[in-house]
Amino acid sequence: MAGEIWCLAEQWKGSLSDATFEALALGRELSDALQVQLQAVLLGHAQRAMADKVFGVDRVLYVDNPAFAAPSPEQSAAALATLVSERKPRAVLITLTNTTWEIGALLAAKLRITYANCCKDVRVENGQLMARCVLYGGKMEVDVGSAQECVVFGLLAGVRPAMLRAETDVTVEEVAVAVPEVSCRFKGYREAEAGDIDITKQDVLVCVGRGIQTKDNIELAEKLAETFGGAVCGTRPVIDQGWLPLSRQVGRSGCIVKPKLYVAVGVSGAPEHVEGMKGSGLIVAINTDTTAPIFHVAHYGIAADAVEILPAITEVMANRKAKACATPH
Amino acid sequence: MKTIVLFRMVPDIVEELEVASDGKSLDREYLRLMLADADNHALEQALIIKERHGGTITVLGEDEPGMEETLFSALCKGADRAIKLNSSPQAGTHARAHWISKGIRETPDLLPADLIITGAQAIDDLDGLLAPMLAQFLDLPFLGTITRLDVNPATGAGTALREFAGGVRGEYEIKVPVVIGVQAAEKPPRYVPVAKLRTIMKSRRLEAVQISDGPWIFPVSEIRSMMKPQETTQAEMLAGSPDEVAAKLAGALLAHGLM
Amino acid sequence: MRDPSLIRYLGVPAFGVMWLLALIACGVFAARVFQLIAVLRSARAEPRWDHLGQRLGLVVTNVLGQRRLLDEPVIGAAHLVVFWAFVFYAFAFWWALLRALVPVLPIPYPDEITWLAAILETFGVLGLVAIVIAAVRRYVFTPVSLERSRDASIILVLIAVVLIAFLTGTGARWVTSGHQGSIIAAGVGRMIARAGVSAESAAVLYLWAWWIHMVTVLGFLAYLPSSKHLHLLAAPFGVFFASLQPGILASGTEGAARVRDFTWRQLLSGISCAECGRCDRACPIFKGDTDLSPKQLIHAIKDATIAASKGANGEWRALGNRIQPEQLWSCATCGSCIARCPVFNEHIPLVVEMRRYLVAKGEIPARLQDTLMSLSRYGNSFGQSPRGRAKWTAGLDFAVKDAKKERVDYFWFVGDYASFDPRVQLVTRAAARVFHRAELDFGLMYEAEQNAGNDVRRVGEEGLFEDLRQRNEASFGKAQFAHIVTTDPHSYHTLKHEYANGNRGLEVAHYTEVLDALLRQGKLRPQTRLNIKATYHDPCYLGRYNGVYEAPRRVLRSLGVTLVEMPRHRDRALCCGAGGGRIWMQDVQTGERPAEARLREAANLPGVDTLVVSCPKDYVMFQDALKTTGLEGRLAVKDIAELMEAALH
């Protein structure tokens, strides 16, 4: 059979990622629309049991090789390339996380097929697969179509709500694929320094971005976070400046967080950051630039200078808290 | 240690971006281009390695608006050679990767090189990524998303630190020759004083390399239309004096059960 | 009285001994001075021979008249006395030495001339009083930045010895000459007689006093080039060669790090410095806990010059050895140090030259680097598209002319902060409405306006400054206007003095000057009297740099504002700390920031509830400081434009 919708099941450090199930949800839509099978490709080592957990697909192609014990984009792409040329799927969906985001490009170059990067949606139009891709830091979107027989799609996080995990039967096919040796070898992980706080477990996060301007202003964010009993986190530029430790980074290279309340201060809303926080319950954005993409993600927006507004908000919150505590029950 | 650094110009998103009248591309009237941020880091990383171990750096970029000044700026920072390649006739990262690989091959005295470095990504990467595709076309090993890099020139072996999620880094062993996609350099990119740039522009020349289009046919993926993000959601803006805004926000949070 | 120089000691005539001592002392003195001059000559050139008349005038007022020293009245008066004492005593000394070395000269000793002796005695007594005042000030009340150094002690003692020796001599002469002399001579003489000194012993006492006096002065001469008293020699030249336009910087150099990179006048600063500490006391950034000390900066130059003179040659590095980059980046270029220095030293050009050196090497603070890149790319320090420069006009209900497209009377150069900072935009709109009300024919350059470059130049990025200036001047050249008005004092200063406009005679006005004129012409008529009691903060680049003090005050008074002056006002105003590129850098202080200190100064004025500003950076700095000092309820910060608009309703 050919023409299936494939999805690369992303696994990292021993578990399947949430992003995989988001991709599968999309894959299922596409395969249903085209009336073809949805198949997942899982590359791992001694992880046959994990293949059983890739539910919601018609078939899991499991490739076992020591090379896949740790992320190796070149070898993953090589294995995929072999499988794709043999089995000729219609589309290969690859999640854009730090672990897998290069595989699509490698695969497309190897097989000389098209690749659509940063897809926020893929749909079927007149029997063709059309992707809606995000460009220029989120400032433009393009509709891209390809009449090719096989197309690779790089999917942004949150492309669909993740498929609910359920215990269903999964058909697993173990496939042997020759995996080439490469000179770039994984040696080990360096964990982030154990920070004092795990931001993924906080209910309230106040995120500071470049718009906070100076390290001293972070104090204002900290005071606000304190009134909520939450913590301060930061976007990549703030971490790169050394104003906050690595453990506080939110975004594609940092943590994915889902607090009940997320206050983004001086954050522009670049896609890499938004990926890390769009699952938050309530998002409030504070930024002097009214055209900043963050305002598309936020529920409430305040076009004001952080230095002006944060103390005011902190005071109001602190007062209400004090009143609440003082009120007899 | 022979290093090649590749540059690309991308739209400067500080400016407002508009869709051109054809509905499929960017309006060029007020469009300004700038060096892709990650490419700037790539050069910085190359300079750091040169400062440690010596060697040469060649920077190469296509003839796009602003590229000349960028190449001169690289010479100011410490690059040894700067090459301006005629532009790829076909748009897109995939085509660019192929074009540049040809350019590298056809530039005299360029290959073999030890390190070929460029930014891990750019904001106009629609149909590919430059670093891995380039590696593919040059038939070289590849490692991307790098934040730390060092190579021992005597042995040709080195280590690289690759970013994963949640602040986790992965250590990789590499051997030259290799193509590297730099996410961030070990230090922020250095500054070039304007006076120095002007002096270099008067005293140095860029090498121009012309290559011709080959019989390579690219896989066709068509941009059907380009549009500004049609956001279905837009934040409800709270306005007023700081105290008024704070009060409104408190009210909203209360309504959402967050107080 | 016997001629002291003819007395023989162990067969050797006194004048012989005197010749020996004089040759040694003068030799040491001359050698050191020539070494120092050699270093100055090997340094960079700087033309300071223009306007000789004006320069002589400066010397008369400030060297002979000691004007700047009198700003600290007690020590000023004391120093004036000591200075003139020195003048007379030095004159008398050389006369006496000549006479002593050549006894056959048919001239009397100076103290044998009644009127001259009287002057010397008077200054002797007054001088001693002054020395005591100086010593008490230095050792008991020790002002900030005045050291109880060994050098200072030696000098005080030497001067005292010289004066006491002379007075003793004059008293002894009174005793031996049969009570002939002035009142002072008599006074001292009676003290000597009462101490039981006979006439014969008094003659001996006279000789002792004479020798002590002469030897001490010779010793002083030899010691001089190694002490801070070198300022005696160098300062008058320093004043003569002062900058007649201290606010204007010399154009593009590679910067300075080694001794030979500085100009001779800059090196002269070091040896002119008397280490009085006025610059430190005036500096808004200087506090015990920061690195920046204008005095230490000059001292480092002095050190470097002296090291160079001792054979380390011009390669001796000041930057990196005695001066650290952090100190240089701390300076806000407010000009208080230069305004207060009694010997007219220029600290800011030193800072800028060394900053130029650091910039050329790319060694600049990270935030500053980002800002410079933004300025280079977008022409503004906010990292925003130049097309957004006039977005603030959207809040106006009238259109503002485009000076690029049509002729206007006043081209309004708005400036970065007034255009882009949301808080200042309110003020800018108020100013626009006021101009509109006055039916002023004004226009903007819109997106063609680039940062004027004042702070870029002071940060040391001369290449970028030239770039910005070129871009601006190209736009100015294509437009038609009669005057330039600006709401930003930094731009005001640079457009007025550091652009070619100055040579073309284009008039640059600060908006307060324009408002002042409009009010006086009756084109603006306040409808309401603002009955507020306020104090006005003089912006550095408007006040101290350009002397515009009255226009803003006239405007405020005509609005009905009761003006109360802060202790530090007009040319003594305390800088808010934003200039010199500091607003683009991380805060350096741990303690109180200049803006906070200034707010507290305003808050200390009884009944005053408003601090009035006329500079966008001041506005932003003080608004921020209101929060950090917690003075929000106590004081309001308002721009003149806002008050003007309020009064027009």
Side-chain angles (χ1 to χ4, degrees):
Chain A
M1 266 225 305
E4 296 95 356
I5 301 292
W6 278 15
C7 188
L8 177 66
E10 183 200 338
Q11 58 91 355
W12 188 45
K13 287 178 145 206
S15 46
L16 287 166
S17 69
D18 282 345
T20 303
F21 295 97
E22 291 172 357
L24 286 176
L26 175 64
R28 178 48 71 192
E29 271 182 38
L30 297 173
S31 58
D32 283 350
L34 291 170
Q35 295 179 330
V36 294
Q37 279 207 346
L38 174 65
Q39 298 184 346
V41 177
L42 177 66
L43 309 171
H45 182 52
Q47 279 161 321
R48 172 65 181 76
M50 190 190 284
D52 288 327
K53 305 219 180 92
V54 186
F55 55 83
V57 300
D58 299 307
R59 178 177 290 262
V60 178
L61 305 174
Y62 173 61
V63 180
D64 194 309
N65 193 295
F68 304 132
S72 173
E74 290 176 290
Q75 291 170 311
S76 306
L80 256 182
T82 312
L83 284 174
V84 169
S85 0
E86 282 171 13
R87 301 193 180 214
K88 304 198 194 309
R90 179 74 183 274
V92 182
L93 307 178
I94 302 181
T95 55
L96 291 177
T97 64
N98 274 16
T99 332
T100 52
W101 70 301
E102 293 143 337
I103 297 175
L106 283 168
L107 185 63
K110 267 191 210 300
L111 298 175
R112 298 185 182 182
I113 55 180
T114 40
Y115 171 57
N117 197 25
C118 296
C119 301
K120 70 185 268 200
D121 188 26
V122 184
R123 58 194 189 279
V124 177
E125 242 179 54
N126 305 325
Q128 245 199 42
L129 287 166
M130 289 278 286
R132 174 67 62 90
C133 304
V134 175
L135 280 184
Y136 310 128
K139 287 210 165 179
M140 278 296 178
E141 291 177 358
V142 288
D143 268 342
V144 172
S146 170
Q148 288 226 316
E149 285 174 356
C150 180
V151 184
V152 185
F153 295 96
L155 304 180
L156 291 172
V159 68
R160 286 290 185 280
M163 239 188 216
L164 294 166
R165 305 191 196 215
E167 295 295 325
T168 53
D169 280 327
V170 180
T171 312
V172 179
E173 182 191 331
E174 285 196 45
V175 188
V177 176
V179 174
E181 288 286 304
V182 288
S183 62
C184 300
R185 279 176 222 269
F186 177 80
K187 280 173 61 196
Y189 287 110
R190 271 201 220 167
E191 300 293 329
E193 270 128 42
D196 41 345
I197 292 184
D198 182 355
I199 55 174
T200 59
K201 297 208 167 50
Q202 297 290 316
D203 274 342
V204 177
L205 284 175
V206 179
C207 180
V208 291
R210 232 196 205 139
I212 200 80
Q213 292 197 342
T214 72
K215 188 175 182 179
D216 302 323
N217 291 341
I218 297 184
E219 223 184 275
L220 299 171
E222 275 171 1
K223 287 206 185 113
L224 179 62
E226 231 175 290
T227 53
F228 282 112
V232 167
C233 57
T235 60
R236 204 213 170 89
V238 167
I239 309 299
D240 279 349
Q241 295 263 50
W243 294 350
L244 285 174
L246 209 49
S247 53
R248 304 284 185 120
Q249 189 174 332
V250 171
R252 191 201 282 183
S253 296
C255 303
I256 311 285
V257 296
K258 295 189 170 90
K260 295 201 182 114
L261 173 63
Y262 190 88
V263 183
V265 186
V267 173
S268 62
E272 301 80 48
H273 176 72
V274 170
E275 254 180 67
M277 43 66 78
K278 65 201 283 188
S280 307
L282 189 72
I283 303 171
V284 178
I286 301 173
N287 197 316
T288 50
D289 178 10
T290 48
T291 64
I294 192 75
F295 289 117
H296 296 310
V297 184
H299 300 96
Y300 290 99
I302 302 171
D305 191 284
V307 177
E308 295 248 306
I309 205 82
L310 284 179
I313 300 177
T314 310
E315 208 188 305
V316 168
M317 298 305 163
N319 285 343
R320 298 218 176 184
K321 196 172 162 190
K323 269 195 232 153
C325 294
T327 316
H329 295 294
Chain B
M1 182 101 294
K2 201 167 168 195
T3 308
I4 305 175
V5 179
L6 303 165
F7 281 168
R8 307 147 261 193
M9 304 301 284
V10 296
D12 184 348
I13 56 176
V14 162
E15 308 284 347
E16 299 270 335
L17 297 182
E18 303 290 340
V19 182
S21 46
D22 67 356
K24 296 186 197 183
S25 56
L26 281 179
D27 184 0
R28 305 252 139 198
E29 195 190 341
Y30 292 114
L31 191 66
R32 290 182 61 179
L33 299 181
M34 61 186 284
L35 178 65
D37 199 42
D39 290 351
N40 207 2
H41 283 263
L43 175 64
E44 186 61 31
Q45 190 61 45
L47 290 164
I48 290 172
I49 292 178
K50 181 181 172 184
E51 281 163 1
R52 279 189 198 134
H53 304 297
T56 62
I57 297 176
T58 304
V59 287
L60 190 148
E62 289 173 86
D63 190 5
E64 304 175 87
M67 179 58 82
E68 280 201 11
E69 196 176 295
T70 307
L71 291 171
F72 277 118
S73 176
L75 290 173
C76 273
K77 291 185 182 182
D80 302 281
R81 218 177 143 192
I83 296 168
K84 193 174 63 168
L85 187 66
N86 57 323
S87 284
S88 163
Q90 204 153 3
T93 309
H94 200 159
R96 195 198 277 266
H98 181 253
W99 188 258
I100 290 183
S101 70
K102 264 186 87 182
I104 291 177
R105 283 212 183 85
E106 294 182 26
T107 301
D109 304 315
L110 192 53
L111 287 179
D114 300 303
L115 290 170
I116 299 179
I117 312 183
T118 188
Q121 79 272 309
I123 56 175
D124 63 353
D125 282 332
L126 177 58
D127 65 351
L129 296 173
L130 184 62
M133 287 177 154
L134 187 68
Q136 200 52 43
F137 291 125
L138 291 172
D139 197 19
L140 289 176
F142 158 77
L143 194 61
T145 332
I146 298 307
T147 54
R148 205 160 274 258
L149 178 69
D150 201 15
V151 183
N152 182 341
T155 62
T159 42
L161 213 57
R162 187 195 190 283
E163 271 191 353
F164 290 107
V168 178
R169 293 345 187 204
E171 208 176 291
Y172 282 77
E173 186 184 272
I174 56 169
K175 280 199 187 58
V176 302
V178 64
V179 175
I180 300 283
V182 167
Q183 181 80 312
E186 288 167 42
K187 279 190 265 163
R190 59 197 67 186
Y191 183 73
V192 175
V194 171
K196 207 169 169 193
L197 182 63
R198 279 202 241 121
T199 313
I200 282 264
M201 283 174 100
K202 290 191 201 129
S203 60
R204 297 279 303 264
R205 307 244 83 147
L206 303 173
E207 282 173 57
V209 169
Q210 293 273 118
I211 56 176
S212 46
D213 200 0
W216 178 257
I217 309 289
F218 272 83
V220 177
S221 90
E222 219 192 280
I223 295 181
R224 300 290 168 84
S225 62
M226 180 180 278
M227 68 222 80
K228 287 207 183 166
Q230 285 140 22
E231 297 300 331
T232 47
T233 56
Q234 173 70 31
E236 188 184 317
M237 300 302 288
L238 306 172
S241 74
D243 291 321
E244 286 168 4
V245 167
K248 285 184 191 171
L249 181 63
L253 292 178
L254 195 63
H256 284 267
L258 282 164
M259 293 285 288
Chain C
M1 291 284 299
R2 288 179 65 195
D3 184 342
S5 72
L6 291 175
I7 298 173
R8 278 176 188 272
Y9 302 96
L10 305 173
V12 181
F15 67 82
V17 178
M18 194 57 79
W19 266 103
L20 184 64
L21 292 174
L23 281 171
I24 293 172
C26 292
V28 169
F29 175 81
R32 283 300 293 137
V33 170
F34 282 131
Q35 275 176 325
L36 287 167
I37 292 179
V39 175
L40 259 56
R41 292 184 70 194
S42 73
R44 267 179 43 224
E46 190 173 355
R48 292 277 176 111
W49 291 96
D50 54 316
H51 297 92
L52 290 174
Q54 202 177 340
R55 293 180 179 285
L56 277 169
L58 280 177
V59 174
V60 167
T61 329
N62 290 287
V63 178
L64 303 183
Q66 304 271 293
R67 186 171 62 181
R68 282 201 178 169
L69 278 148
L70 294 170
D71 68 354
E72 290 180 353
V74 174
I75 191 63
H79 190 273
L80 184 59
V81 166
V82 175
F83 171 81
W84 281 101
F86 173 81
V87 167
F88 285 110
Y89 272 79
F91 171 68
F93 168 77
W94 288 109
W95 177 336
L97 184 68
L98 177 65
R99 175 60 180 77
L101 293 176
V102 190
V104 296
L105 280 175
I107 53 174
Y109 279 101
D111 58 336
E112 288 168 340
I113 300 176
T114 328
W115 59 268
L116 185 51
I119 292 175
L120 291 169
E121 287 153 12
T122 314
F123 272 102
V125 172
L126 291 175
L128 278 175
V129 172
I131 291 290
V132 168
I133 292 174
V136 167
R137 175 177 178 261
R138 187 178 284 264
Y139 294 97
V140 177
F141 297 106
T142 318
V144 171
S145 257
L146 197 64
E147 280 128 45
R148 304 178 189 179
S149 63
R150 196 177 64 161
D151 186 25
S153 321
I154 292 175
I155 301 290
L156 285 171
V157 166
L158 284 178
I159 299 175
V161 167
V162 164
L163 298 176
I164 292 173
F166 182 84
L167 288 170
T168 307
T170 218
R173 177 198 286 278
W174 182 85
V175 171
T176 57
S177 67
H179 300 206
Q180 279 184 21
S182 69
I183 316 167
I184 295 172
V188 181
R190 284 202 191 91
M191 284 199 294
I192 291 173
R194 254 196 298 255
V197 177
S198 66
E200 296 77 38
S201 311
V204 174
L205 183 61
Y206 176 82
L207 279 177
W208 272 97
W210 189 91
W211 274 103
I212 289 173
H213 182 100
M214 298 301 280
V215 169
T216 308
V217 180
L218 281 174
F220 194 44
L221 189 66
Y223 179 62
L224 199 114
S226 314
S227 88
K228 71 183 179 82
H229 254 59
L230 196 48
H231 83 268
L232 282 178
L233 277 180
F237 292 100
V239 177
F240 184 78
F241 291 116
S243 168
L244 299 175
Q245 292 180 305
I248 299 167
L249 293 171
S251 56
T253 61
E254 287 292 297
R258 302 164 305 179
V259 169
R260 61 156 21 164
D261 298 328
F262 293 94
T263 68
W264 61 268
R265 178 58 184 88
Q266 286 164 350
L267 296 182
L268 186 62
S269 299
I271 50 187
S272 292
C273 175
E275 301 179 17
C276 72
R278 277 176 181 74
C279 50
D280 275 358
R281 291 192 283 279
C283 177
I285 314 287
F286 174 78
K287 268 189 199 50
D289 59 351
T290 56
D291 289 316
L292 178 68
S293 158
K295 181 172 136 180
Q296 292 309 319
L297 198 66
I298 299 285
H299 199 87
I301 296 294
K302 184 197 301 202
D303 261 357
T305 309
I306 290 175
S309 74
K310 291 190 180 142
N313 71 59
E315 296 302 313
W316 203 92
R317 284 182 61 108
L319 180 57
N321 260 328
R322 288 283 195 282
I323 305 171
Q324 302 307 322
E326 304 79 61
Q327 296 168 271
L328 296 173
W329 296 118
S330 308
C331 175
T333 70
C334 76
S336 299
C337 47
I338 296 180
R340 303 286 297 283
C341 181
V343 299
F344 285 70
N345 278 343
E346 294 147 54
H347 310 63
I348 293 175
L350 292 173
V351 170
V352 174
E353 285 297 339
M354 285 189 271
R355 284 179 174 185
R356 284 177 179 169
Y357 179 82
L358 292 172
V359 169
K361 294 192 55 205
E363 288 168 20
I364 43 187
R367 250 192 90 200
L368 179 60
Q369 181 170 320
D370 288 340
T371 312
L372 290 176
M373 306 214 43
S374 169
L375 283 159
S376 178
R377 259 195 89 71
Y378 307 116
N380 67 73
S381 56
F382 282 75
Q384 294 197 27
S385 165
R387 285 157 59 202
R389 191 173 272 270
K391 274 199 184 146
W392 62 267
T393 55
L396 299 169
D397 56 11
F398 54 88
V400 178
K401 285 188 182 176
D402 188 339
K404 301 192 308 290
K405 299 191 182 133
E406 48 182 313
R407 195 188 185 287
V408 291
D409 199 17
Y410 280 85
F411 154 41
W412 183 4
F413 188 98
V414 185
D416 277 8
Y417 268 81
S419 304
F420 290 104
D421 186 294
R423 290 168 289 183
V424 191
Q425 283 174 346
L426 301 171
V427 172
T428 315
R429 281 194 277 268
R433 287 189 289 261
V434 168
F435 288 159
H436 185 73
R437 249 313 249 287
E439 292 174 351
L440 194 73
D441 178 25
F442 71 98
L444 308 172
M445 288 278 184
Y446 285 86
E447 69 283 357
E449 184 188 301
Q450 311 266 302
N451 186 299
N454 177 295
D455 295 278
V456 172
R457 178 167 233 201
R458 277 139 187 87
V459 142
E461 233 292 24
E462 190 71 1
L464 180 57
F465 167 70
E466 286 171 5
D467 236 6
L468 290 166
R469 181 174 61 184
Q470 202 172 14
R471 293 184 224 164
N472 272 326
E473 285 184 333
S475 307
F476 297 175
K478 286 190 225 134
Q480 286 183 301
F481 50 85
H483 319 267
I484 301 180
V485 60
T486 178
T487 32
D488 174 27
H490 288 244
S491 306
Y492 173 79
H493 178 77
T494 291
L495 288 173
K496 198 170 179 127
H497 301 292
E498 296 176 331
Y499 273 47
N501 295 334
N503 298 336
R504 278 192 284 148
L506 253 184
E507 210 192 282
V508 182
H510 187 246
Y511 81 101
T512 51
E513 295 177 299
V514 171
L515 289 183
D516 182 40
L518 290 171
L519 280 164
R520 282 188 284 153
Q521 289 160 18
K523 298 217 179 106
L524 274 176
R525 266 179 261 267
Q527 305 292 316
T528 329
R529 277 191 77 76
L530 305 172
N531 286 318
I532 54 175
K533 212 168 171 192
T535 184
Y536 173 68
H537 169 80
D538 291 285
C540 302
Y541 278 87
L542 189 64
R544 200 165 18 253
Y545 272 83
N546 283 290
V548 178
Y549 301 112
E550 280 309 315
R553 286 173 169 80
R554 277 196 295 264
V555 171
L556 286 172
R557 275 186 229 116
S558 60
L559 300 181
V561 172
T562 312
L563 266 183
V564 181
E565 299 288 359
M566 286 181 275
R568 289 174 291 193
H569 63 287
R570 296 174 76 100
D571 66 320
R572 299 280 201 103
L574 184 74
C575 173
C576 73
R582 281 235 39 86
I583 203 168
W584 300 332
M585 298 186 231
Q586 288 278 72
D587 261 338
V588 281
Q589 356 243 148
T590 44
E592 189 185 48
R593 300 187 181 94
E596 294 169 351
R598 190 60 162 163
L599 274 185
R600 292 200 177 101
E601 190 177 351
N604 274 339
L605 299 170
V608 162
D609 58 13
T610 310
L611 173 65
V612 183
V613 296
S614 56
C615 165
K617 291 192 187 65
D618 279 334
Y619 192 79
V620 166
M621 295 296 283
F622 290 133
Q623 292 283 7
D624 279 349
L626 271 183
K627 297 184 184 69
T628 54
T629 52
L631 282 167
E632 278 147 299
R634 165 78 184 82
L635 271 183
V637 173
K638 291 258 182 254
D639 189 284
I640 290 186
E642 295 180 292
L643 295 177
M644 182 85 240
E645 196 190 15
L648 287 175
H649 284 312

